[in-house]
């Protein structure tokens, strides 16, 4: 349980360090309110109202620190670099990345441990994290299908072709052969990824479509007997209770002229899993994304060889380039997940270089054995 915030009379006398901290809090609260207002300008309806509500809450926190500072307000301080970056992204892009980063920022609020912050302010920050998480999940859902294919394709291209290039180079073959192997790996891998992703997503969408209710009940219903018919079984198989299934069957047979239970619609069955289809993405979109991103990743390890470098220098430069891209893709995944980008980037780097190191050793052993 967090320690309760002391009442005003129990708080320690503020120090110069406290005043400096409050000024920073004040600057960050102003910046965060501006971020939410900037995001609200790019939204409409309910999402806009939610974001403006968050901005209003940050304004209350801002007023709290202003009141505590009083005559010690001093000159305005700049917001933290994180808040400034978020503000820039919100004003110019307004993407899901901003919401994901804002979610992480809200989760790291220091108010629960600050004796001068009220319990309501600490609770606000915890709730804000969940509000922003809910807003961000919509963007994550839209991205998840194609983004998954893109990230997977790029990283697979980077790691597999770096492993191929290092393995071939360690075996002692010429740089020309290493380059040809890298190009062949790029083309074969990109085509395989594109075809595999198309089949995977297409199959998954077909499985979902096969699970959708059909309209056969509308054509078969008139010939059925309410007391002895399988229509009730149809609705029970779709998850309804016995009473609800009987009610729906009676509606279909025309025994009710109105829908007494709002949950049992008189409208024909409709596809109710559009969200699942949206999360998976289209097969062609996923396939093209996989092909392009695998190729874009696989070309990185062979760039030094394409530009005429040979031997160990080319291999070292290839590893450096791949490492930088792995760090970048890992950080992006971390940001979108609202988690630490540093840990995700490091994980990507260790996995990629680990695979390359194994193939390098195997290539060296193979080359020594053949030689």
């Amino acid at each position: 349980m967090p320690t309760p915030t002391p009442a005003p009379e129990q708080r320690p006398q503020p120090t110069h360090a406290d005043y400096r901290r409050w000024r920073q809090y004040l600057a960050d609260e102003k910046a965060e309110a501006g971020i939410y207002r900037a995001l609200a300008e790019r939204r409409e309806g309910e999402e806009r109202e939610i974001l403006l509500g968050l901005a209003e809450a940050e304004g209350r926190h801002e007023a709290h620190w202003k009141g505590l500072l009083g005559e010690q307000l001093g000159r305005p301080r700049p917001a933290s670099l994180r808040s400034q970056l978020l503000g820039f992204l919100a004003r110019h892009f307004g993407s899901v990345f901003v919401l994901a980063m804002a979610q992480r920022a809200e989760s790291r609020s220091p108010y629960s441990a600050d004796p001068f912050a009220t319990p309501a302010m600490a609770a606000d920050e915890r709730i804000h994290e969940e509000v922003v998480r809910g807003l961000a999940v919509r963007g994550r859902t839209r991205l998840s299908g194609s983004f998954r294919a893109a990230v997977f394709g790029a990283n697979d291209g980077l790691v597999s072709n770096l492993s191929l290039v290092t393995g071939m180079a360690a075996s002692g073959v010429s740089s020309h052969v290493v380059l040809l192997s890298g190009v062949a790996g790029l083309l074969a891998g990109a085509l395989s990824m594109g075809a595999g992703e198309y089949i995977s997503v297409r199959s998954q969408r077909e499985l979902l479509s096969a699970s959708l209710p059909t309209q056969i009940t509308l054509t078969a219903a008139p010939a059925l007997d309410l007391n002895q018919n399988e229509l009730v079984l149809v609705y029970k198989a779709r998850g309804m209770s016995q009473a609800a299934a009987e009610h729906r069957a009676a509606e279909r047979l025309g025994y009710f002229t109105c829908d007494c239970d709002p949950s049992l619609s008189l409208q024909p069955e409709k596809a109710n899993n559009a969200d699942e289809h949206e999360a998976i993405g289209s097969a062609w979109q996923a396939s093209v994304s996989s092909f392009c991103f695998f190729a874009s990743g696989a070309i990185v390890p062979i760039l030094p060889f394409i530009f005429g470098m040979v031997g160990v220098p080319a291999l070292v430069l290839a590893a450096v380039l791949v490492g930088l891209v792995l760090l970048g893709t890992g950080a992006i995944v971390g940001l979108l997940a609202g988690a630490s980008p540093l840990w995700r980037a490091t994980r990507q780097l260790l996995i990629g270089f680990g695979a390359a190191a194994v193939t390098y050793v195997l290539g060296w052993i193979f080359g020594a054995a053949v030689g």
Side-chain angles (χ1 to χ4, degrees), residues 132-337:
V132 176
R133 187 194 303 273
L135 292 174
V137 73
R138 305 181 190 186
R140 289 186 179 119
T141 300
R142 289 190 292 266
L143 281 174
S144 60
S146 58
F147 183 76
R148 173 183 58 83
V151 170
F152 179 60
N155 282 279
D156 196 18
L158 285 164
V159 175
S160 63
N161 231 25
L162 177 64
S163 300
L164 175 61
V165 167
T166 54
M168 293 297 294
S171 68
V173 300
S174 67
S175 295
H176 179 69
V177 174
V178 173
L179 175 59
L180 288 178
S181 300
V183 172
L186 184 156
L187 293 174
L191 289 170
S192 175
M193 283 289 295
E197 194 67 30
Y198 177 86
I199 293 171
S200 173
V201 174
R202 185 69 181 177
S203 299
Q204 193 169 0
R205 291 178 66 88
E206 288 171 352
L207 287 174
L208 282 175
S209 296
S211 302
L212 285 176
T214 67
Q215 302 304 311
I216 192 66
T217 56
L218 296 180
T219 56
L224 294 174
D225 184 338
L226 179 61
N227 297 318
Q228 295 178 345
N229 71 82
E230 284 74 27
L231 192 55
V232 173
L233 300 182
V234 171
Y235 295 123
K236 289 181 67 176
R238 294 179 186 176
M240 289 186 179
S241 66
Q242 179 71 29
E246 291 176 355
H247 187 112
R248 176 61 68 88
E251 288 179 344
R252 284 288 181 262
L253 295 175
Y255 285 82
F256 296 121
T257 57
C258 67
D259 188 1
C260 305
D261 184 347
S263 67
L264 308 176
S265 172
L266 279 171
Q267 299 298 320
E269 293 88 344
K270 296 181 180 179
N272 59 0
N273 64 343
D275 290 341
E276 286 89 339
H277 280 76
E278 184 179 11
I280 296 170
S282 72
W284 278 112
Q285 185 180 25
S287 176
V288 171
S289 295
S290 291
F291 179 92
C292 294
F293 279 90
F294 183 98
S296 66
I299 199 172
V300 174
I302 61 177
L303 283 176
F305 298 94
I306 291 176
F307 287 99
M309 294 184 68
V310 296
V312 174
L315 200 57
V316 170
L317 181 58
V320 170
L321 293 175
V322 169
L324 291 174
V325 180
L326 286 173
L327 289 172
T329 56
I332 290 173
V333 172
L335 289 174
L336 275 177

Side-chain angles (χ1 to χ4, degrees), residues 86 89 94-102 143 147 331-333 335-336:
L86 279 174
L89 293 174
S95 68
V96 66
F97 287 94
V98 180
L99 288 172
M101 293 172 68
L143 281 174
F147 183 76
I332 290 173
V333 172
L335 289 174
L336 275 177

